[in-house]
Amino acid sequence: MPSYAFFHNEFVPLADARMGIMTHCIHYGTAVFEGIRGNWNGDRKQIYLFRAKEHYQRLYRGCQVLNIQLPWSVDELCRITVELVEKCGFEEDLYVRPLAYKGSESLGVRLHNLEDDFLVFAMPWGPYLDMDKARCAVSSWRRPDDNVIPPQAKITGLYVNNALAKTEAVHNGYDEAIMLTPTGYVSEGSGENIFLVTNGRLVTPPIYSSILAGITRSTVITLAQEELGVETMERLVDRSELYTADECFLTGTAAHITPVAEIDHRRIGNGEVGEVTKKLKQLYSEVIRGNNPKYLDWCTPVYKKQTVK
Ligand SMILES: Cc1ncc(COP(=O)(O)O)c(C=O)c1O
Protein backbone atom coordinates (compact mmCIF):
# COMPACT_ATOMS: atom_id res chain seq x y z
CA MET A 1 0.00 0.00 0.00
CA PRO A 2 1.65 3.31 -1.04
CA SER A 3 1.94 5.98 1.61
CA TYR A 4 1.65 9.69 0.94
CA ALA A 5 2.78 12.86 2.62
CA PHE A 6 1.50 16.40 2.51
CA PHE A 7 4.80 18.19 1.93
CA HIS A 8 5.59 21.65 0.55
CA ASN A 9 1.88 22.28 0.08
CA GLU A 10 1.01 19.20 -1.96
CA PHE A 11 0.33 15.49 -1.65
CA VAL A 12 3.34 13.44 -2.80
CA PRO A 13 4.37 9.78 -2.45
CA LEU A 14 6.10 9.41 0.94
CA ALA A 15 9.30 8.30 -0.79
CA ASP A 16 9.47 11.62 -2.65
CA ALA A 17 9.14 13.82 0.45
CA ARG A 18 12.78 14.77 1.06
CA MET A 19 14.38 17.61 3.03
CA GLY A 20 17.64 19.43 2.37
CA ILE A 21 20.51 18.63 4.71
CA MET A 22 20.80 22.27 5.83
CA THR A 23 17.17 22.51 6.99
CA HIS A 24 17.14 24.39 10.29
CA CYS A 25 14.97 21.99 12.30
CA ILE A 26 17.28 19.03 11.66
CA HIS A 27 20.18 20.83 13.34
CA TYR A 28 18.50 22.61 16.23
CA GLY A 29 15.33 20.66 17.00
CA THR A 30 13.20 23.64 15.96
CA ALA A 31 9.99 21.81 15.13
CA VAL A 32 6.77 20.85 16.85
CA PHE A 33 5.13 17.50 16.20
CA GLU A 34 1.94 15.64 16.91
CA GLY A 35 0.83 12.04 16.86
CA ILE A 36 -2.74 11.27 15.86
CA ARG A 37 -4.26 7.81 15.73
CA GLY A 38 -6.36 6.48 12.92
CA ASN A 39 -8.29 3.52 14.31
CA TRP A 40 -9.64 0.89 11.94
CA ASN A 41 -13.22 -0.29 12.41
CA GLY A 42 -13.47 -3.52 10.40
CA ASP A 43 -17.28 -3.80 10.70
CA ARG A 44 -17.82 -0.39 9.13
CA LYS A 45 -14.74 -0.46 6.90
CA GLN A 46 -13.90 2.92 8.32
CA ILE A 47 -10.91 4.68 9.86
CA TYR A 48 -11.64 7.14 12.65
CA LEU A 49 -9.13 9.86 13.45
CA PHE A 50 -9.26 10.30 17.20
CA ARG A 51 -9.59 13.84 18.56
CA ALA A 52 -7.74 15.29 15.56
CA LYS A 53 -8.91 18.80 16.38
CA GLU A 54 -7.44 18.70 19.90
CA HIS A 55 -4.14 17.43 18.48
CA TYR A 56 -3.94 20.34 16.04
CA GLN A 57 -4.93 22.79 18.77
CA ARG A 58 -1.99 21.48 20.81
CA LEU A 59 0.26 21.75 17.74
CA TYR A 60 -0.78 25.39 17.45
CA ARG A 61 0.11 26.05 21.08
CA GLY A 62 3.57 24.57 20.39
CA CYS A 63 3.90 26.73 17.27
CA GLN A 64 3.18 29.76 19.42
CA VAL A 65 6.10 28.81 21.68
CA LEU A 66 8.47 28.27 18.73
CA ASN A 67 7.36 31.35 16.76
CA ILE A 68 5.99 29.22 13.93
CA GLN A 69 3.18 30.66 11.86
CA LEU A 70 1.15 28.37 9.62
CA PRO A 71 -1.14 29.57 6.84
CA TRP A 72 -3.82 26.99 7.73
CA SER A 73 -6.44 26.95 10.47
CA VAL A 74 -6.96 23.97 12.78
CA ASP A 75 -9.99 22.93 10.70
CA GLU A 76 -7.99 23.13 7.48
CA LEU A 77 -5.23 20.99 8.98
CA CYS A 78 -7.87 18.43 9.98
CA ARG A 79 -9.22 18.44 6.40
CA ILE A 80 -5.71 18.02 4.93
CA THR A 81 -5.18 15.07 7.26
CA VAL A 82 -8.45 13.39 6.32
CA GLU A 83 -7.59 13.80 2.63
CA LEU A 84 -4.11 12.37 3.21
CA VAL A 85 -5.34 9.29 5.06
CA GLU A 86 -8.09 8.72 2.51
CA LYS A 87 -5.51 8.85 -0.26
CA CYS A 88 -3.33 6.26 1.54
CA GLY A 89 -6.32 3.87 1.70
CA PHE A 90 -5.13 1.87 4.72
CA GLU A 91 -7.42 -0.73 6.26
CA GLU A 92 -5.64 -1.06 9.60
CA ASP A 93 -4.68 1.02 12.63
CA LEU A 94 -2.41 3.86 11.71
CA TYR A 95 -0.50 6.77 13.07
CA VAL A 96 -0.43 10.26 11.62
CA ARG A 97 2.63 12.42 12.19
CA PRO A 98 2.19 16.17 11.61
CA LEU A 99 5.28 18.37 11.92
CA ALA A 100 5.43 22.19 11.95
CA TYR A 101 9.03 23.24 11.46
CA LYS A 102 11.61 25.88 10.75
CA GLY A 103 12.18 25.01 7.11
CA SER A 104 14.85 27.49 5.98
CA GLU A 105 18.07 25.96 4.73
CA SER A 106 20.05 28.22 6.98
CA LEU A 107 22.30 27.66 9.98
CA GLY A 108 22.45 29.72 13.18
CA VAL A 109 20.68 29.10 16.48
CA ARG A 110 17.52 31.21 16.60
CA LEU A 111 13.79 31.16 16.04
CA HIS A 112 13.47 34.45 14.15
CA ASN A 113 14.03 35.27 10.46
CA LEU A 114 13.32 31.73 9.34
CA GLU A 115 10.65 30.27 7.10
CA ASP A 116 8.00 28.07 8.66
CA ASP A 117 6.62 24.96 7.01
CA PHE A 118 4.33 22.05 7.74
CA LEU A 119 4.22 18.41 6.70
CA VAL A 120 2.13 15.42 7.63
CA PHE A 121 2.34 11.74 6.76
CA ALA A 122 0.53 8.58 7.79
CA MET A 123 1.80 5.06 8.35
CA PRO A 124 0.35 1.76 9.58
CA TRP A 125 1.22 1.32 13.27
CA GLY A 126 -0.06 -1.09 15.91
CA PRO A 127 0.32 -0.57 19.67
CA TYR A 128 3.53 1.23 20.67
CA LEU A 129 4.08 -0.64 23.93
CA ASP A 130 3.39 -4.08 22.54
CA MET A 131 2.85 -6.01 25.76
CA ASP A 132 -0.10 -6.81 28.06
CA LYS A 133 1.63 -5.35 31.10
CA ALA A 134 4.66 -3.09 31.19
CA ARG A 135 7.65 -3.29 33.52
CA CYS A 136 8.90 0.19 34.32
CA ALA A 137 11.75 1.89 36.12
CA VAL A 138 12.14 5.38 37.51
CA SER A 139 14.61 7.09 35.23
CA SER A 140 17.83 8.80 36.22
CA TRP A 141 16.85 11.42 33.61
CA ARG A 142 14.52 14.16 34.87
CA ARG A 143 11.91 16.11 32.91
CA PRO A 144 12.97 19.72 32.30
CA ASP A 145 10.99 22.53 33.87
CA ASP A 146 9.04 25.02 31.80
CA ASN A 147 11.91 27.52 31.84
CA VAL A 148 14.34 25.01 30.33
CA ILE A 149 12.21 23.64 27.48
CA PRO A 150 8.43 23.80 27.92
CA PRO A 151 7.27 20.15 28.22
CA GLN A 152 3.76 21.32 27.29
CA ALA A 153 4.90 21.72 23.69
CA LYS A 154 5.89 18.68 21.65
CA ILE A 155 9.14 20.30 20.53
CA THR A 156 11.34 17.85 18.64
CA GLY A 157 14.52 19.03 20.41
CA LEU A 158 12.94 18.30 23.79
CA TYR A 159 12.51 14.63 22.88
CA VAL A 160 16.23 13.93 23.34
CA ASN A 161 15.31 13.95 27.04
CA ASN A 162 12.65 11.29 26.41
CA ALA A 163 14.97 9.24 24.20
CA LEU A 164 17.69 9.21 26.89
CA ALA A 165 15.18 7.93 29.43
CA LYS A 166 13.62 5.32 27.12
CA THR A 167 16.92 3.82 26.02
CA GLU A 168 18.26 3.74 29.58
CA ALA A 169 15.12 1.83 30.63
CA VAL A 170 15.30 -0.64 27.72
CA HIS A 171 19.05 -1.23 28.16
CA ASN A 172 18.35 -1.99 31.83
CA GLY A 173 15.75 -4.59 30.83
CA TYR A 174 12.53 -2.57 31.34
CA ASP A 175 9.80 -1.63 28.89
CA GLU A 176 9.40 2.02 29.79
CA ALA A 177 10.89 4.82 31.89
CA ILE A 178 9.02 6.91 34.43
CA MET A 179 10.55 10.33 34.72
CA LEU A 180 10.51 12.66 37.72
CA THR A 181 10.19 16.44 37.81
CA PRO A 182 13.25 18.61 38.53
CA THR A 183 12.23 18.55 42.21
CA GLY A 184 11.64 14.80 42.34
CA TYR A 185 7.89 14.29 41.96
CA VAL A 186 6.49 11.80 39.47
CA SER A 187 6.07 13.35 36.02
CA GLU A 188 5.37 10.95 33.14
CA GLY A 189 6.63 8.15 30.91
CA SER A 190 8.88 8.83 27.93
CA GLY A 191 5.85 8.98 25.64
CA GLU A 192 2.90 8.55 27.99
CA ASN A 193 1.14 10.10 30.97
CA ILE A 194 0.85 8.04 34.11
CA PHE A 195 -2.15 7.21 36.32
CA LEU A 196 -2.37 5.43 39.65
CA VAL A 197 -5.46 3.87 41.16
CA THR A 198 -5.48 4.42 44.91
CA ASN A 199 -8.47 3.82 47.20
CA GLY A 200 -10.84 3.64 44.24
CA ARG A 201 -9.74 6.99 42.79
CA LEU A 202 -7.48 7.89 39.92
CA VAL A 203 -4.42 9.95 40.75
CA THR A 204 -2.30 11.62 38.08
CA PRO A 205 0.41 14.31 38.14
CA PRO A 206 -0.83 17.83 37.34
CA ILE A 207 0.20 19.95 34.35
CA TYR A 208 2.82 21.74 36.48
CA SER A 209 4.66 18.43 37.04
CA SER A 210 6.44 18.97 33.68
CA ILE A 211 4.01 16.74 31.79
CA LEU A 212 2.54 16.96 28.35
CA ALA A 213 -1.20 17.65 28.63
CA GLY A 214 -2.07 14.34 27.02
CA ILE A 215 -5.21 13.94 24.97
CA THR A 216 -5.50 10.31 26.07
CA ARG A 217 -5.07 11.57 29.64
CA SER A 218 -8.02 13.93 29.24
CA THR A 219 -10.04 11.17 27.53
CA VAL A 220 -9.40 8.81 30.44
CA ILE A 221 -10.33 11.45 33.03
CA THR A 222 -13.63 12.01 31.19
CA LEU A 223 -14.42 8.31 30.71
CA ALA A 224 -13.59 7.48 34.32
CA GLN A 225 -15.90 10.20 35.60
CA GLU A 226 -18.75 9.80 33.09
CA GLU A 227 -18.82 6.04 32.64
CA LEU A 228 -17.44 4.64 35.90
CA GLY A 229 -18.17 7.44 38.35
CA VAL A 230 -14.49 7.41 39.28
CA GLU A 231 -12.96 10.75 40.19
CA THR A 232 -9.43 11.82 39.19
CA MET A 233 -7.18 13.77 41.53
CA GLU A 234 -4.58 15.84 39.70
CA ARG A 235 -1.92 16.36 42.34
CA LEU A 236 1.77 16.04 43.10
CA VAL A 237 2.73 12.37 43.28
CA ASP A 238 5.65 11.09 45.36
CA ARG A 239 7.88 8.39 43.91
CA SER A 240 7.02 5.92 46.69
CA GLU A 241 3.32 6.24 45.83
CA LEU A 242 4.16 4.41 42.62
CA TYR A 243 5.16 1.37 44.66
CA THR A 244 2.09 1.32 46.90
CA ALA A 245 -0.65 2.05 44.34
CA ASP A 246 -3.40 -0.54 43.80
CA GLU A 247 -3.10 -0.18 40.03
CA CYS A 248 -1.00 1.81 37.58
CA PHE A 249 -1.30 2.46 33.86
CA LEU A 250 0.23 4.61 31.13
CA THR A 251 -1.79 6.59 28.57
CA GLY A 252 -0.81 7.92 25.17
CA THR A 253 -1.93 8.17 21.58
CA ALA A 254 0.67 5.62 20.55
CA ALA A 255 0.52 3.42 23.68
CA HIS A 256 -3.28 3.67 24.27
CA ILE A 257 -3.85 2.45 27.85
CA THR A 258 -0.99 0.19 28.92
CA PRO A 259 -1.21 -1.44 32.36
CA VAL A 260 1.95 -1.36 34.48
CA ALA A 261 2.71 -4.55 36.42
CA GLU A 262 5.99 -3.63 38.03
CA ILE A 263 8.01 -0.50 38.89
CA ASP A 264 11.60 -0.67 40.16
CA HIS A 265 11.13 -4.41 40.90
CA ARG A 266 8.04 -3.77 43.06
CA ARG A 267 4.88 -5.55 41.98
CA ILE A 268 1.96 -3.14 41.58
CA GLY A 269 -1.15 -4.51 43.30
CA ASN A 270 -1.15 -8.25 42.66
CA GLY A 271 0.85 -7.80 39.47
CA GLU A 272 -2.18 -8.47 37.27
CA VAL A 273 -4.24 -5.94 35.29
CA GLY A 274 -6.49 -4.23 37.87
CA GLU A 275 -10.27 -3.89 37.63
CA VAL A 276 -10.37 -0.12 36.99
CA THR A 277 -7.60 -0.35 34.39
CA LYS A 278 -9.40 -3.23 32.66
CA LYS A 279 -12.70 -1.32 32.47
CA LEU A 280 -11.05 1.87 31.19
CA LYS A 281 -9.08 -0.07 28.58
CA GLN A 282 -12.26 -1.70 27.30
CA LEU A 283 -14.19 1.59 27.22
CA TYR A 284 -11.32 3.38 25.50
CA SER A 285 -10.93 0.76 22.78
CA GLU A 286 -14.65 1.04 21.91
CA VAL A 287 -14.62 4.85 21.97
CA ILE A 288 -11.58 5.27 19.66
CA ARG A 289 -13.07 2.92 17.05
CA GLY A 290 -16.31 4.88 16.86
CA ASN A 291 -18.31 2.16 18.63
CA ASN A 292 -19.68 4.35 21.40
CA PRO A 293 -22.30 6.80 20.02
CA LYS A 294 -21.90 9.10 23.04
CA TYR A 295 -18.34 9.95 22.04
CA LEU A 296 -18.67 9.94 18.25
CA ASP A 297 -17.81 13.66 18.19
CA TRP A 298 -14.24 12.68 19.05
CA CYS A 299 -13.98 10.47 15.96
CA THR A 300 -13.52 11.86 12.44
CA PRO A 301 -14.43 9.30 9.75
CA VAL A 302 -11.97 9.25 6.85
CA TYR A 303 -13.65 7.21 4.12
CA LYS A 304 -16.73 8.69 2.46
CA LYS A 305 -18.40 5.37 1.77
CA GLN A 306 -18.96 3.41 4.93
CA THR A 307 -20.76 0.22 5.79
CA VAL A 308 -23.11 0.57 8.74
CA LYS A 309 -23.80 -2.81 10.32
C1 LIG B 1 6.05 12.96 26.72
C2 LIG B 1 4.66 12.56 26.41
N1 LIG B 1 3.77 12.50 27.42
C3 LIG B 1 2.51 12.12 27.21
C4 LIG B 1 2.07 11.76 25.96
C5 LIG B 1 0.64 11.35 25.76
O1 LIG B 1 -0.06 12.36 25.10
P1 LIG B 1 -1.29 12.00 24.15
O2 LIG B 1 -2.22 11.21 24.97
O3 LIG B 1 -1.84 13.31 23.75
O4 LIG B 1 -0.73 11.23 23.01
C6 LIG B 1 2.96 11.80 24.88
C7 LIG B 1 2.53 11.44 23.53
O5 LIG B 1 2.19 12.26 22.74
C8 LIG B 1 4.29 12.22 25.11
O6 LIG B 1 5.15 12.29 24.11
Side-chain angles (χ1 to χ4, degrees):
M1 185 73 69
S3 270
Y4 290 87
F6 180 80
F7 183 61
H8 289 161
N9 244 326
E10 57 179 350
F11 294 103
V12 294
L14 189 57
D16 296 346
R18 294 276 176 256
M19 238 180 221
I21 60 170
M22 282 180 68
T23 306
H24 197 270
C25 66
I26 300 176
H27 298 270
Y28 305 116
T30 47
V32 184
F33 70 101
E34 265 306 323
I36 306 174
R37 271 280 178 192
N39 301 297
W40 174 241
N41 183 317
D43 289 341
R44 295 200 205 127
K45 303 249 175 285
Q46 182 59 276
I47 284 180
Y48 292 103
L49 298 178
F50 191 62
R51 303 192 75 175
K53 193 168 179 161
E54 287 89 338
H55 281 283
Y56 279 119
Q57 285 167 338
R58 187 169 67 189
L59 184 88
Y60 258 88
R61 293 198 295 275
C63 287
Q64 185 73 7
V65 175
L66 281 202
N67 268 335
I68 293 176
Q69 263 141 27
L70 299 181
W72 300 283
S73 66
V74 163
D75 285 344
E76 282 164 341
L77 291 176
C78 289
R79 273 200 295 278
I80 289 169
T81 305
V82 167
E83 203 179 324
L84 170 77
V85 175
E86 191 179 21
K87 213 172 158 54
C88 292
F90 297 127
E91 297 197 345
E92 59 195 302
D93 289 347
L94 57 93
Y95 187 78
V96 175
R97 167 53 52 84
L99 186 81
Y101 61 99
K102 294 291 178 188
S104 297
E105 297 205 29
S106 163
L107 296 186
V109 177
R110 64 189 188 282
L111 293 174
H112 58 279
N113 294 343
L114 293 165
E115 279 163 29
D116 302 326
D117 211 339
F118 170 81
L119 62 84
V120 55
F121 61 89
M123 61 182 202
W125 210 18
Y128 170 66
L129 290 175
D130 202 7
M131 71 274 312
D132 296 341
K133 295 174 286 182
R135 292 178 61 246
C136 298
V138 171
S139 183
S140 67
W141 298 97
R142 300 248 168 135
R143 289 300 278 161
D145 95 11
D146 195 63
N147 292 296
V148 178
I149 303 178
Q152 282 271 33
K154 282 179 75 77
I155 298 170
T156 54
L158 165 69
Y159 274 72
V160 167
N161 171 250
N162 308 49
L164 286 165
K166 175 76 182 191
T167 292
E168 177 191 57
V170 170
H171 283 174
N172 287 338
Y174 300 97
D175 301 311
E176 185 53 292
I178 298 171
M179 286 192 279
L180 305 180
T181 68
T183 51
Y185 291 103
V186 174
S187 179
E188 60 181 352
S190 75
E192 309 85 18
N193 293 115
I194 187 164
F195 283 79
L196 305 178
V197 182
T198 308
N199 297 326
R201 279 196 192 153
L202 293 184
V203 177
T204 195
I207 301 300
Y208 52 84
S209 281
S210 295
I211 66 162
L212 180 77
I215 289 158
T216 320
R217 176 181 181 274
S218 106
T219 302
V220 161
I221 292 173
T222 303
L223 293 179
Q225 184 67 61
E226 295 282 314
E227 305 303 317
L228 306 179
V230 171
E231 199 188 322
T232 301
M233 292 172 69
E234 295 179 57
R235 62 158 175 81
L236 293 175
V237 177
D238 280 323
R239 173 181 185 157
S240 61
E241 289 185 76
L242 296 173
Y243 306 153
T244 55
D246 300 323
E247 300 177 30
C248 176
F249 59 87
L250 300 170
T251 64
T253 294
H256 300 303
I257 294 177
T258 302
V260 175
E262 191 188 306
I263 302 173
D264 291 347
H265 298 283
R266 274 88 170 173
R267 211 167 56 179
I268 308 304
N270 62 6
E272 295 304 320
V273 182
E275 278 312 302
V276 177
T277 310
K278 211 181 282 172
K279 284 182 193 156
L280 284 168
K281 219 170 133 53
Q282 177 61 27
L283 272 165
Y284 179 76
S285 79
E286 293 298 322
V287 165
I288 62 171
R289 283 174 212 289
N291 283 332
N292 187 328
K294 191 166 161 191
Y295 299 101
L296 220 43
D297 282 356
W298 283 344
C299 301
T300 307
V302 167
Y303 298 128
K304 296 200 177 66
K305 272 197 219 146
Q306 72 168 292
T307 320
V308 180
K309 244 190 139 184

